[in-house]
Amino acid sequence: MDLMIREKIKQVKKGDQAAYEDVVMYYQDKIFQHCYRMLGNAHEAEDIAQEAFIRAYVNIHSYDEKRKFSTWLYRIATNLTIDRIRKRKPDYYLDAEVKGTDGLDMYSQLATNERLPEEEVQGMELQSYIQDEISNLPPKYRSIIMLRYLEEFSLQEISDILDIPLGTVKTRIHRGREALRKKLRHV
Amino acid sequence: MKCDKDVVNLMHGYLDDDLTKEDETKLRNHLEDCEACQKHFHELKRSITLLKSVEQVKAPENFTKQVMQNLPTEKKHKKYVR
């Protein structure tokens, strides 16, 4: 598959726009999923994932073919999600539907904020609960935890994607796992 | 009992495949004797398993088509640059 992508990228660089379609098709689920886990919201995830592919296309000439394309693409997507998170207003998504609550929005959640984690788990499906806890991790841990465990990149690849030293990746994955442990040990 | 941070660091080193044989033995021996650390280690491994159990999501239908439609073409590009 890597070889196919490599070929397609070469064609795109030569100006063959149609060749990009296969590239998008191949990575769409991965990149959408990555954005979804980072943002915890399907609409935003679609927006940002679209933008990531468009940026990758526009900047394709700055992609160095000696490196892995997926690493480069994930870097663009991750940076965009982090920008989006920074720009969010705290009440931005109060009227968005909360996952797994069958139509309830954030307003309906406000009064029930004080529930214990155990009760909360019972009230929601486990899947949505875990997704919510992922979304609650600070972004700098969240990105690493997801890249490692849901997208199965190596620590070295994560260091390339996020452009941070390997030592920092190790410190953050350590802290991210501890944060996650505290959130999920009641489950 | 309160175990020092070194043990927790060893656990994370283990999870990252980053331990020497010597450190691995040290961790193993400690875990055999210490229930609190055993619990901690178990919780760490379990949260990773839970995390990995999260459902895979797929991109919406027409995702690729939409990207392709929104790519700048030569023509559109001129319009935007102006």
Side-chain angles (χ1 to χ4, degrees):
Chain A
M1 218 20 121
D2 263 6
L3 217 81
M4 182 279 264
I5 296 296
R6 212 175 276 260
E7 265 319 298
K8 294 288 172 190
I9 300 291
K10 268 190 196 143
Q11 291 167 17
V12 176
K13 279 192 171 179
K14 281 183 201 147
D16 178 2
Q17 192 175 77
Y20 195 56
E21 189 162 356
D22 294 323
V23 178
V24 181
M25 198 86 89
Y26 183 68
Y27 285 110
Q28 61 171 357
D29 288 340
K30 292 177 199 226
I31 294 297
F32 174 78
Q33 169 147 287
H34 180 69
C35 295
Y36 179 71
R37 304 253 182 262
M38 281 301 284
L39 297 163
N41 174 296
H43 286 296
E44 275 187 304
E46 186 174 0
D47 239 35
I48 297 294
Q50 288 270 335
E51 167 113 27
F53 281 107
I54 291 167
R55 283 218 191 173
Y57 178 81
V58 172
N59 295 298
I60 197 75
H61 291 286
S62 71
Y63 162 61
D64 174 1
E65 280 164 63
K66 283 187 234 88
R67 313 188 70 168
K68 272 175 87 175
F69 182 73
S70 62
T71 312
W72 188 71
L73 188 58
Y74 269 94
R75 181 193 292 204
I76 294 174
T78 307
N79 287 342
L80 286 172
T81 57
I82 288 174
D83 276 356
R84 173 61 68 97
I85 291 165
R86 281 202 194 112
K87 281 181 200 148
R88 269 181 190 166
K89 291 176 193 152
D91 60 348
Y92 191 41
Y93 271 98
L94 274 180
D95 62 353
E97 185 179 313
V98 179
K99 290 175 304 304
T101 56
D102 207 20
L104 296 180
D105 59 25
M106 278 308 284
Y107 289 110
S108 67
Q109 294 282 298
L110 292 179
T112 61
N113 257 351
E114 300 302 311
R115 284 190 302 170
L116 294 168
E118 287 91 331
E119 294 175 75
E120 216 171 316
V121 177
Q122 284 166 11
M124 285 169 103
E125 279 185 47
L126 182 61
Q127 291 275 335
S128 347
Y129 182 78
I130 297 170
Q131 172 59 50
D132 279 9
E133 292 306 341
I134 298 174
S135 305
N136 286 336
L137 286 175
K140 64 178 178 183
Y141 301 148
R142 195 188 316 159
S143 51
I144 291 181
I145 289 283
M146 283 186 339
L147 289 167
R148 181 74 192 94
Y149 292 111
L150 295 174
E151 280 128 42
E152 298 188 334
F153 284 105
S154 70
L155 296 184
Q156 183 56 57
E157 284 170 327
I158 295 172
S159 147
D160 291 342
I161 291 171
L162 300 175
D163 201 18
I164 52 178
L166 186 59
T168 310
V169 175
K170 286 182 184 172
T171 312
R172 287 190 188 168
I173 198 168
H174 175 146
R175 294 196 184 137
R177 274 191 299 246
E178 285 301 329
L180 204 65
R181 180 183 73 91
K182 286 181 187 126
K183 287 169 185 292
L184 295 180
R185 69 174 159 201
H186 308 280
V187 176
Chain B
M1 90 175 256
K2 188 113 176 109
C3 293
D4 51 89
K5 261 174 67 184
D6 289 352
V7 182
V8 176
N9 282 336
L10 286 179
M11 292 181 199
H12 286 280
Y14 177 86
L15 293 172
D16 291 332
D17 260 332
D18 212 11
L19 286 192
T20 60
K21 274 269 176 303
E22 204 186 352
D23 279 342
E24 212 178 309
T25 312
K26 212 159 109 190
L27 175 65
R28 214 175 288 272
N29 289 340
H30 180 82
L31 288 179
E32 272 171 28
D33 296 334
C34 175
E35 227 170 279
C37 284
Q38 243 177 60
K39 183 165 176 274
H40 191 119
F41 193 47
H42 173 76
E43 284 172 358
L44 276 174
K45 289 201 288 192
R46 194 165 166 277
S47 42
I48 293 168
T49 309
L50 281 170
L51 180 75
K52 284 183 161 182
S53 77
V54 160
E55 231 173 335
Q56 302 275 314
V57 291
K58 286 201 178 305
E61 263 181 73
N62 288 330
F63 184 92
T64 297
K65 209 173 139 199
Q66 243 173 15
V67 171
M68 294 310 289
Q69 277 169 0
N70 288 317
L71 292 184
T73 60
E74 291 302 324
K75 226 176 170 183
K76 273 186 195 160
H77 201 66
K78 270 180 204 153
K79 228 193 268 172
Y80 288 146
V81 171
R82 209 175 285 185

CSV table of all heavy atoms in Angstrom, one decimal, chain A residues 104-140:
chain,number,residue,atom,x,y,z
A,104,LEU,N,-30.0,14.5,23.9
A,104,LEU,CA,-29.8,15.5,25.0
A,104,LEU,C,-28.7,16.5,24.6
A,104,LEU,O,-27.7,16.0,24.0
A,104,LEU,CB,-29.6,14.9,26.3
A,104,LEU,CG,-30.7,14.0,26.9
A,104,LEU,CD1,-30.3,13.4,28.2
A,104,LEU,CD2,-31.9,14.8,27.1
A,105,ASP,N,-28.8,17.7,24.9
A,105,ASP,CA,-27.7,18.6,24.7
A,105,ASP,C,-26.9,18.9,26.0
A,105,ASP,O,-27.3,18.5,27.0
A,105,ASP,CB,-28.1,19.9,24.0
A,105,ASP,CG,-29.1,20.7,24.8
A,105,ASP,OD1,-29.1,20.5,26.0
A,105,ASP,OD2,-29.9,21.4,24.2
A,106,MET,N,-25.9,19.8,25.8
A,106,MET,CA,-25.1,20.1,27.0
A,106,MET,C,-25.9,20.8,28.1
A,106,MET,O,-25.6,20.7,29.3
A,106,MET,CB,-23.9,20.9,26.6
A,106,MET,CG,-22.7,20.1,26.1
A,106,MET,SD,-22.2,18.8,27.1
A,106,MET,CE,-21.3,19.7,28.4
A,107,TYR,N,-26.9,21.6,27.7
A,107,TYR,CA,-27.6,22.3,28.7
A,107,TYR,C,-28.3,21.3,29.7
A,107,TYR,O,-28.3,21.5,30.9
A,107,TYR,CB,-28.8,23.1,28.1
A,107,TYR,CG,-28.2,24.3,27.3
A,107,TYR,CD1,-28.3,24.3,26.0
A,107,TYR,CD2,-27.7,25.4,28.0
A,107,TYR,CE1,-27.8,25.4,25.3
A,107,TYR,CE2,-27.2,26.5,27.3
A,107,TYR,CZ,-27.2,26.5,25.9
A,107,TYR,OH,-26.7,27.5,25.3
A,108,SER,N,-28.7,20.2,29.2
A,108,SER,CA,-29.4,19.2,30.0
A,108,SER,C,-28.4,18.5,30.9
A,108,SER,O,-28.7,17.9,31.9
A,108,SER,CB,-30.1,18.2,29.2
A,108,SER,OG,-29.2,17.4,28.4
A,109,GLN,N,-27.1,18.6,30.5
A,109,GLN,CA,-26.1,18.0,31.3
A,109,GLN,C,-25.6,18.8,32.5
A,109,GLN,O,-25.0,18.3,33.4
A,109,GLN,CB,-24.9,17.7,30.4
A,109,GLN,CG,-25.1,16.7,29.3
A,109,GLN,CD,-25.1,15.2,29.9
A,109,GLN,OE1,-24.2,14.8,30.4
A,109,GLN,NE2,-26.3,14.6,29.8
A,110,LEU,N,-25.9,20.1,32.4
A,110,LEU,CA,-25.3,21.0,33.4
A,110,LEU,C,-25.7,20.7,34.8
A,110,LEU,O,-24.9,20.6,35.7
A,110,LEU,CB,-25.6,22.4,33.1
A,110,LEU,CG,-25.0,23.0,31.8
A,110,LEU,CD1,-25.4,24.4,31.5
A,110,LEU,CD2,-23.5,22.9,31.9
A,111,ALA,N,-27.0,20.4,35.0
A,111,ALA,CA,-27.5,20.2,36.3
A,111,ALA,C,-27.0,18.8,36.9
A,111,ALA,O,-27.0,18.6,38.1
A,111,ALA,CB,-29.0,20.2,36.3
A,112,THR,N,-26.6,17.9,36.0
A,112,THR,CA,-26.2,16.6,36.5
A,112,THR,C,-24.7,16.5,36.6
A,112,THR,O,-24.2,15.4,36.7
A,112,THR,CB,-26.8,15.5,35.6
A,112,THR,OG1,-26.2,15.7,34.3
A,112,THR,CG2,-28.3,15.6,35.5
A,113,ASN,N,-24.0,17.6,36.6
A,113,ASN,CA,-22.5,17.6,36.6
A,113,ASN,C,-21.9,16.8,37.8
A,113,ASN,O,-20.8,16.3,37.7
A,113,ASN,CB,-22.0,19.0,36.6
A,113,ASN,CG,-21.5,19.3,35.2
A,113,ASN,OD1,-21.4,18.5,34.3
A,113,ASN,ND2,-21.2,20.6,35.0
A,114,GLU,N,-22.7,16.8,38.8
A,114,GLU,CA,-22.1,16.3,40.1
A,114,GLU,C,-22.2,14.8,40.3
A,114,GLU,O,-21.8,14.3,41.3
A,114,GLU,CB,-22.8,17.0,41.3
A,114,GLU,CG,-22.7,18.5,41.3
A,114,GLU,CD,-21.2,19.0,41.3
A,114,GLU,OE1,-20.4,18.5,42.1
A,114,GLU,OE2,-20.9,19.8,40.4
A,115,ARG,N,-22.7,14.1,39.3
A,115,ARG,CA,-22.8,12.7,39.4
A,115,ARG,C,-21.4,12.0,39.6
A,115,ARG,O,-20.4,12.4,39.1
A,115,ARG,CB,-23.5,12.0,38.2
A,115,ARG,CG,-25.0,12.3,38.2
A,115,ARG,CD,-25.6,11.5,37.1
A,115,ARG,NE,-25.1,11.8,35.8
A,115,ARG,CZ,-25.3,11.1,34.7
A,115,ARG,NH1,-26.1,10.1,34.8
A,115,ARG,NH2,-24.8,11.5,33.6
A,116,LEU,N,-21.5,10.9,40.3
A,116,LEU,CA,-20.2,10.1,40.5
A,116,LEU,C,-19.9,9.4,39.2
A,116,LEU,O,-20.8,9.0,38.5
A,116,LEU,CB,-20.4,9.1,41.6
A,116,LEU,CG,-20.6,9.7,43.0
A,116,LEU,CD1,-21.1,8.6,44.0
A,116,LEU,CD2,-19.3,10.3,43.5
A,117,PRO,N,-18.6,9.1,39.0
A,117,PRO,CA,-18.3,8.4,37.8
A,117,PRO,C,-19.0,7.1,37.6
A,117,PRO,O,-19.5,6.7,36.6
A,117,PRO,CB,-16.8,8.2,37.9
A,117,PRO,CG,-16.3,9.2,38.9
A,117,PRO,CD,-17.5,9.5,39.8
A,118,GLU,N,-19.2,6.4,38.7
A,118,GLU,CA,-19.9,5.1,38.6
A,118,GLU,C,-21.3,5.2,38.1
A,118,GLU,O,-21.7,4.4,37.2
A,118,GLU,CB,-20.0,4.4,40.0
A,118,GLU,CG,-18.7,3.8,40.5
A,118,GLU,CD,-18.0,4.9,41.4
A,118,GLU,OE1,-18.1,6.1,41.2
A,118,GLU,OE2,-17.3,4.5,42.3
A,119,GLU,N,-22.0,6.2,38.6
A,119,GLU,CA,-23.4,6.4,38.1
A,119,GLU,C,-23.4,6.8,36.6
A,119,GLU,O,-24.2,6.4,35.9
A,119,GLU,CB,-24.0,7.5,38.9
A,119,GLU,CG,-24.3,7.2,40.4
A,119,GLU,CD,-24.8,8.4,41.1
A,119,GLU,OE1,-26.0,8.7,40.9
A,119,GLU,OE2,-24.1,9.1,41.8
A,120,GLU,N,-22.4,7.6,36.3
A,120,GLU,CA,-22.3,8.1,35.0
A,120,GLU,C,-22.1,7.0,34.0
A,120,GLU,O,-22.7,6.9,32.9
A,120,GLU,CB,-21.2,9.1,34.9
A,120,GLU,CG,-21.4,10.2,33.9
A,120,GLU,CD,-20.3,11.3,34.1
A,120,GLU,OE1,-19.9,11.6,35.2
A,120,GLU,OE2,-19.9,11.8,33.0
A,121,VAL,N,-21.3,6.0,34.4
A,121,VAL,CA,-21.0,4.9,33.5
A,121,VAL,C,-22.3,4.1,33.3
A,121,VAL,O,-22.5,3.7,32.2
A,121,VAL,CB,-19.9,4.0,34.1
A,121,VAL,CG1,-19.7,2.8,33.2
A,121,VAL,CG2,-18.6,4.7,34.3
A,122,GLN,N,-23.0,3.9,34.3
A,122,GLN,CA,-24.3,3.2,34.2
A,122,GLN,C,-25.2,3.9,33.2
A,122,GLN,O,-26.0,3.2,32.5
A,122,GLN,CB,-24.9,3.0,35.5
A,122,GLN,CG,-24.2,1.9,36.3
A,122,GLN,CD,-24.7,1.9,37.8
A,122,GLN,OE1,-25.6,2.6,38.2
A,122,GLN,NE2,-24.0,1.2,38.6
A,123,GLY,N,-25.2,5.2,33.3
A,123,GLY,CA,-26.2,6.0,32.5
A,123,GLY,C,-25.8,6.1,31.0
A,123,GLY,O,-26.6,6.4,30.2
A,124,MET,N,-24.6,5.8,30.7
A,124,MET,CA,-24.2,6.0,29.3
A,124,MET,C,-23.6,4.7,28.8
A,124,MET,O,-23.2,3.8,29.6
A,124,MET,CB,-23.0,7.0,29.2
A,124,MET,CG,-23.4,8.4,29.4
A,124,MET,SD,-21.9,9.4,29.6
A,124,MET,CE,-21.8,10.1,28.0
A,125,GLU,N,-23.5,4.5,27.6
A,125,GLU,CA,-22.9,3.4,27.1
A,125,GLU,C,-21.4,3.5,27.3
A,125,GLU,O,-20.8,4.6,27.3
A,125,GLU,CB,-23.1,3.3,25.6
A,125,GLU,CG,-24.4,2.6,25.3
A,125,GLU,CD,-24.6,2.4,23.8
A,125,GLU,OE1,-23.6,1.9,23.2
A,125,GLU,OE2,-25.6,2.8,23.2
A,126,LEU,N,-20.8,2.4,27.6
A,126,LEU,CA,-19.3,2.4,27.9
A,126,LEU,C,-18.5,3.0,26.8
A,126,LEU,O,-17.6,3.8,27.1
A,126,LEU,CB,-18.9,0.9,28.1
A,126,LEU,CG,-17.4,0.7,28.5
A,126,LEU,CD1,-17.1,1.4,29.8
A,126,LEU,CD2,-17.1,-0.8,28.6
A,127,GLN,N,-18.9,2.8,25.6
A,127,GLN,CA,-18.1,3.3,24.5
A,127,GLN,C,-18.1,4.9,24.5
A,127,GLN,O,-17.1,5.5,24.3
A,127,GLN,CB,-18.8,2.9,23.1
A,127,GLN,CG,-18.7,1.4,22.8
A,127,GLN,CD,-17.3,1.2,22.1
A,127,GLN,OE1,-16.8,2.0,21.5
A,127,GLN,NE2,-16.8,-0.1,22.3
A,128,SER,N,-19.3,5.4,24.7
A,128,SER,CA,-19.4,6.9,24.7
A,128,SER,C,-18.7,7.4,26.0
A,128,SER,O,-18.1,8.5,25.9
A,128,SER,CB,-20.8,7.4,24.7
A,128,SER,OG,-21.7,6.4,24.4
A,129,TYR,N,-18.8,6.7,27.0
A,129,TYR,CA,-18.1,7.1,28.2
A,129,TYR,C,-16.5,7.2,28.0
A,129,TYR,O,-15.9,8.2,28.3
A,129,TYR,CB,-18.4,6.2,29.4
A,129,TYR,CG,-17.7,6.6,30.7
A,129,TYR,CD1,-18.3,7.6,31.5
A,129,TYR,CD2,-16.5,6.0,31.1
A,129,TYR,CE1,-17.7,8.1,32.6
A,129,TYR,CE2,-15.9,6.5,32.3
A,129,TYR,CZ,-16.5,7.5,33.0
A,129,TYR,OH,-15.9,7.9,34.2
A,130,ILE,N,-16.0,6.2,27.4
A,130,ILE,CA,-14.6,6.2,27.1
A,130,ILE,C,-14.2,7.3,26.2
A,130,ILE,O,-13.2,8.0,26.4
A,130,ILE,CB,-14.1,4.8,26.6
A,130,ILE,CG1,-14.4,3.7,27.6
A,130,ILE,CG2,-12.6,4.8,26.2
A,130,ILE,CD1,-14.2,2.3,27.1
A,131,GLN,N,-15.0,7.4,25.1
A,131,GLN,CA,-14.8,8.5,24.2
A,131,GLN,C,-14.8,9.9,24.9
A,131,GLN,O,-13.9,10.7,24.6
A,131,GLN,CB,-15.8,8.5,23.0
A,131,GLN,CG,-15.7,9.7,22.1
A,131,GLN,CD,-14.4,9.9,21.4
A,131,GLN,OE1,-13.9,8.9,20.8
A,131,GLN,NE2,-13.8,11.1,21.5
A,132,ASP,N,-15.7,10.1,25.8
A,132,ASP,CA,-15.8,11.3,26.5
A,132,ASP,C,-14.5,11.5,27.4
A,132,ASP,O,-14.0,12.6,27.5
A,132,ASP,CB,-17.0,11.4,27.4
A,132,ASP,CG,-18.2,11.8,26.7
A,132,ASP,OD1,-18.1,11.8,25.4
A,132,ASP,OD2,-19.3,12.0,27.3
A,133,GLU,N,-14.1,10.5,28.0
A,133,GLU,CA,-12.9,10.6,28.8
A,133,GLU,C,-11.6,10.9,28.0
A,133,GLU,O,-10.7,11.6,28.4
A,133,GLU,CB,-12.7,9.4,29.7
A,133,GLU,CG,-13.7,9.2,30.8
A,133,GLU,CD,-13.9,10.4,31.7
A,133,GLU,OE1,-13.0,11.3,31.7
A,133,GLU,OE2,-14.9,10.5,32.4
A,134,ILE,N,-11.6,10.3,26.8
A,134,ILE,CA,-10.5,10.7,25.9
A,134,ILE,C,-10.6,12.2,25.6
A,134,ILE,O,-9.6,12.9,25.6
A,134,ILE,CB,-10.6,9.9,24.5
A,134,ILE,CG1,-10.5,8.4,24.8
A,134,ILE,CG2,-9.5,10.4,23.6
A,134,ILE,CD1,-10.7,7.5,23.5
A,135,SER,N,-11.8,12.7,25.3
A,135,SER,CA,-12.0,14.1,24.9
A,135,SER,C,-11.6,15.0,26.1
A,135,SER,O,-11.3,16.1,25.9
A,135,SER,CB,-13.4,14.4,24.5
A,135,SER,OG,-13.8,13.6,23.5
A,136,ASN,N,-11.7,14.4,27.3
A,136,ASN,CA,-11.4,15.2,28.5
A,136,ASN,C,-9.9,15.3,28.8
A,136,ASN,O,-9.5,16.1,29.7
A,136,ASN,CB,-12.1,14.7,29.7
A,136,ASN,CG,-13.6,15.1,29.6
A,136,ASN,OD1,-14.0,16.0,29.0
A,136,ASN,ND2,-14.4,14.3,30.3
A,137,LEU,N,-9.1,14.5,28.2
A,137,LEU,CA,-7.7,14.6,28.4
A,137,LEU,C,-7.1,15.9,27.9
A,137,LEU,O,-7.6,16.3,26.8
A,137,LEU,CB,-6.9,13.4,27.7
A,137,LEU,CG,-7.0,12.0,28.3
A,137,LEU,CD1,-6.3,11.0,27.3
A,137,LEU,CD2,-6.4,11.9,29.7
A,138,PRO,N,-6.2,16.5,28.5
A,138,PRO,CA,-5.6,17.7,27.9
A,138,PRO,C,-5.0,17.3,26.5
A,138,PRO,O,-4.5,16.3,26.3
A,138,PRO,CB,-4.4,18.0,28.9
A,138,PRO,CG,-4.8,17.3,30.2
A,138,PRO,CD,-5.6,16.1,29.8
A,139,PRO,N,-5.2,18.2,25.5
A,139,PRO,CA,-4.9,17.9,24.1
A,139,PRO,C,-3.5,17.4,23.9
A,139,PRO,O,-3.3,16.5,23.1
A,139,PRO,CB,-5.0,19.3,23.4
A,139,PRO,CG,-6.0,20.0,24.3
A,139,PRO,CD,-5.9,19.5,25.7
A,140,LYS,N,-2.5,17.9,24.7
A,140,LYS,CA,-1.1,17.4,24.4
A,140,LYS,C,-0.9,16.0,24.8
A,140,LYS,O,-0.1,15.3,24.3
A,140,LYS,CB,-0.1,18.3,25.1
A,140,LYS,CG,-0.1,18.4,26.5
A,140,LYS,CD,1.0,19.3,27.0
A,140,LYS,CE,1.0,19.5,28.5
A,140,LYS,NZ,2.0,20.4,29.0
